Amino acid sequence: MFKKILVALDRSEIGQQVFDEALGLAKLTQASLMLLHVLSSEEEGSPYLPMVSNMDYYPELTSQSFELYQKQWDTFKNLGIQMLQSFCAQANTAGVTTEFTQNVGNPGRIICDLAHSHGADLIVMGRRGHSRLMELFLGSVSNHVLHHAPCSVHVVNLSVTHKINEVVKETTSAFSVN
């Protein structure tokens, strides 16, 4: 039986599926949920830190670039909190005790560390399904967690229907550009 389930979420298309599976497991086993969002440059939609090579000649560009980056980062953080609050409210409405946290850093490491410190029995997380080559270069958060987690890990794959819809959308947009 699971008592504490850590749910690693991001704002990708698989986030809702991950939450839904974790909520179903929590209701089934009467476990509590700890929702986690890791702020990371690896996440889709994260702001890029601008690099200005002419810093000595144009110092005002550096401060403007940093101010813009800071605004984008604040928006990114706020969207993460809003996502967590929304999922938390859904779980509480379903009668599942839920809390959340948002941390900054390496997603795989933070997920494993929080699972350990929180005493989680299970981690529920998503896998985007990157190609093997892409995972070789970028790494895989789910692969890291599977090998370093202090508890069981349930990996939710992006549904086949969603993948087919994405391919159709990409193909359609490719033809409309030409």
Side-chain angles (χ1 to χ4, degrees), residues 87-102:
F87 285 141
C88 191
Q90 289 176 49
N92 287 331
T93 299
V96 175
T97 303
T98 306
E99 56 187 310
F100 66 85
T101 185
Q102 180 167 263

Side-chain angles (χ1 to χ4, degrees), residues 108-109 111-113 115-116 123 140-151 153:
R109 195 170 308 129
I111 292 166
C112 291
D113 289 349
H116 178 74
I123 298 170
S140 165
V141 175
S142 57
N143 189 40
H144 177 88
V145 172
L146 283 167
H147 287 90
H148 297 92
C151 60
V153 180

Side-chain angles (χ1 to χ4, degrees), residues 52-62:
V52 180
S53 60
N54 296 329
M55 214 163 50
D56 296 333
Y57 300 113
Y58 305 104
E60 68 278 355
L61 281 179
T62 304

Side-chain angles (χ1 to χ4, degrees), residues 23-24 31 42 66 90 93 106 121 130 132 139 159 166 176:
L23 182 61
E42 298 169 26
F66 184 73
Q90 289 176 49
T93 299
N106 177 289
D121 306 306
H130 290 308
R132 298 253 189 254
S159 73
E166 285 300 310
S176 64

Side-chain angles (χ1 to χ4, degrees), residues 11-45:
R11 292 186 5 237
S12 70
E13 62 274 2
I14 198 169
Q16 185 69 50
Q17 280 181 266
V18 170
F19 173 75
D20 290 343
E21 286 206 27
L23 182 61
L25 285 168
K27 289 193 308 193
L28 188 66
T29 62
Q30 299 177 348
S32 64
L33 295 177
M34 167 58 85
L35 308 180
L36 168 65
H37 179 239
V38 179
L39 294 170
S40 164
S41 60
E42 298 169 26
E43 184 177 356
E44 291 176 28

Side-chain angles (χ1 to χ4, degrees), residues 66-117:
F66 184 73
E67 286 175 24
L68 176 61
Y69 170 77
Q70 189 61 50
K71 285 180 185 175
Q72 291 172 337
W73 185 256
D74 290 342
T75 299
F76 183 62
K77 281 177 19 181
N78 290 337
L79 289 171
I81 292 293
Q82 289 171 8
M83 173 195 67
L84 290 168
Q85 288 172 333
S86 172
F87 285 141
C88 191
Q90 289 176 49
N92 287 331
T93 299
V96 175
T97 303
T98 306
E99 56 187 310
F100 66 85
T101 185
Q102 180 167 263
N103 299 354
V104 178
N106 177 289
R109 195 170 308 129
I110 288 177
I111 292 166
C112 291
D113 289 349
L114 184 61
H116 178 74
S117 65

